[in-house]
């Protein structure tokens, strides 16, 4: 008799998330462009990219961050949902950015050798994936030593009342592709990464930009 493992559950959840974002692709920007824009801008600025450097963006989505990158750097964006990537490709082409490469890939298993990038950015994705700790480990692995890793996301509130509602609403929010109860420590205590700075962004500063350095 075959056994249903934790890995099977995560793979199933990953496919479900892929379907959710594939279906949401045509309307994604109507909801999440301006609302999450300040955090995206702050996160790209925090990377401190210099000419000639390489950046990996995990969960690049429709490519809303692409116009924010300075010229002269190499950008690789990965995402699990092909319809989101199609929009990102159209955006890169409209921007005339031949230095952007977009690939369908699961952030839990990045197909890059160790220390491939100078910077890694994860905008609004760690609360979407089924195994955020694994995504953080992969993020750390592909960033060079001394390179920067920046995560922008909503995390479980430290306020008891808000935290209660976030936990209560999470089973529902998961159906539209994200959880509201991700503990901040999943990111700040990720092995191999050192916390550099953190600040609140977006509406009521309910999201955070977390800047880290690869040890
Ligand atoms: C909330 S959207 C954020 C998109 C974009 N970063 C932005 O700022 O608008 C989350 C994105 O993560 C992608 N995603 C979900 N699970 C993923 C996985 N396992 N690997 C890579 N991308 C994933 C989704 O397809 C979606 O495009």
């Amino acid at each position: 008799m075959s056994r249903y493992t934790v890995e099977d559950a995560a793979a199933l959840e990953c496919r479900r998330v892929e379907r959710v974002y594939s279906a949401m692709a045509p309307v994604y920007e109507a909801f999440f462009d301006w609302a999450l824009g300040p955090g995206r801008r702050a996160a790209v600025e925090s990377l401190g990219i210099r000419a000639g450097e390489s950046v990996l963006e995990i969960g690049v989505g429709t490519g809303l961050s692409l116009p924010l990158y300075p010229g002269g750097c190499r950008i690789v964006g990965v995402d699990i949902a092909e319809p989101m990537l199609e929009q990102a490709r159209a955006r890169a082409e409209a921007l005339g950015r031949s230095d952007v490469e977009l690939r369908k890939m699961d952030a839990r298993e990045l197909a890059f050798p160790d220390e491939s990038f100078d910077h890694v950015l994860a905008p609004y994705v760690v609360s979407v994936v089924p195994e955020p700790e694994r995504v953080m480990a992969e993020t750390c692995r592909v960033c060079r030593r001394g390179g920067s890793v920046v995560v922008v996301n909503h995390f479980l509130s430290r306020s008891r009342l808000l935290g209660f509602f976030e936990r209560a609403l999470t089973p529902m929010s998961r159906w539209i592709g994200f959880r509201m109860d991700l503990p901040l420590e999943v990111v700040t205590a990720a092995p191999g990464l050192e916390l550099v700075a953190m600040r609140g962004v977006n509406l009521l500063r309910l999201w955070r930009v977390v800047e880290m350095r690869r040890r």
Side-chain angles (χ1 to χ4, degrees):
M1 198 168 68
S2 66
R3 284 194 5 236
Y4 185 69
T5 64
V6 173
E7 288 75 27
D8 294 335
L12 267 181
E13 175 62 5
C14 196
R15 279 203 290 280
R16 194 188 66 79
V17 170
E18 180 182 349
R19 282 198 300 275
V20 167
Y21 280 94
S22 298
M24 213 197 285
V27 295
Y28 178 81
E29 292 189 4
F31 296 98
F32 301 111
D33 179 357
W34 63 270
L36 303 181
R40 252 180 232 114
R41 279 190 292 280
V44 174
E45 273 165 27
S46 307
L47 290 169
I49 305 166
R50 285 181 298 212
E53 289 187 324
S54 56
V55 188
L56 172 67
E57 185 176 324
I58 292 174
V60 66
T62 60
L64 285 166
S65 308
L66 297 180
L68 307 175
Y69 290 106
C73 60
R74 184 174 74 91
I75 303 150
V76 179
V78 301
D79 202 283
I80 197 90
E82 192 56 46
M84 297 288 275
L85 280 170
E86 277 164 22
Q87 292 195 37
R89 287 192 191 101
R91 175 169 274 115
E93 206 179 307
L95 291 167
R97 297 220 48 166
S98 52
D99 50 359
V100 174
E101 184 189 335
L102 295 159
R103 293 172 64 175
K104 179 170 160 62
M105 200 179 288
D106 185 350
R108 299 173 310 147
E109 207 169 356
L110 295 171
F112 302 109
D114 297 356
E115 302 196 47
S116 295
F117 298 92
D118 296 302
H119 309 276
V120 184
L121 174 64
Y124 310 116
V125 65
V126 281
S127 57
V128 165
V129 293
E131 295 173 296
E133 292 86 356
R134 191 167 157 193
V135 171
M136 288 311 298
E138 279 295 88
T139 298
C140 175
R141 181 184 68 75
V142 301
C143 186
R144 71 160 164 81
R145 278 165 212 282
S148 59
V149 169
V150 174
V151 173
V152 55
N153 220 88
H154 171 79
F155 297 98
L156 180 66
S157 172
R158 296 211 189 282
S159 140
R160 273 188 159 189
L161 185 67
L162 213 55
F164 170 80
F165 283 111
E166 287 167 346
R167 280 201 179 93
L169 289 172
T170 285
M172 216 161 59
S173 72
R174 274 187 189 276
W175 285 101
I176 52 168
F178 62 94
R179 58 187 275 199
M180 300 174 79
D181 64 348
L182 182 76
L184 176 65
E185 293 70 27
V186 168
V187 171
T188 55
L193 296 173
E194 177 193 347
L195 181 63
V196 175
M198 194 159 55
R199 61 191 151 132
V201 286
N202 299 335
L203 184 68
L204 303 175
R205 309 227 177 280
L206 286 175
W207 285 255
R208 285 172 208 227
V209 173
V210 185
E211 288 180 50
M212 285 164 295
R213 188 172 300 112
R214 164 83 148 96
R215 287 200 180 97

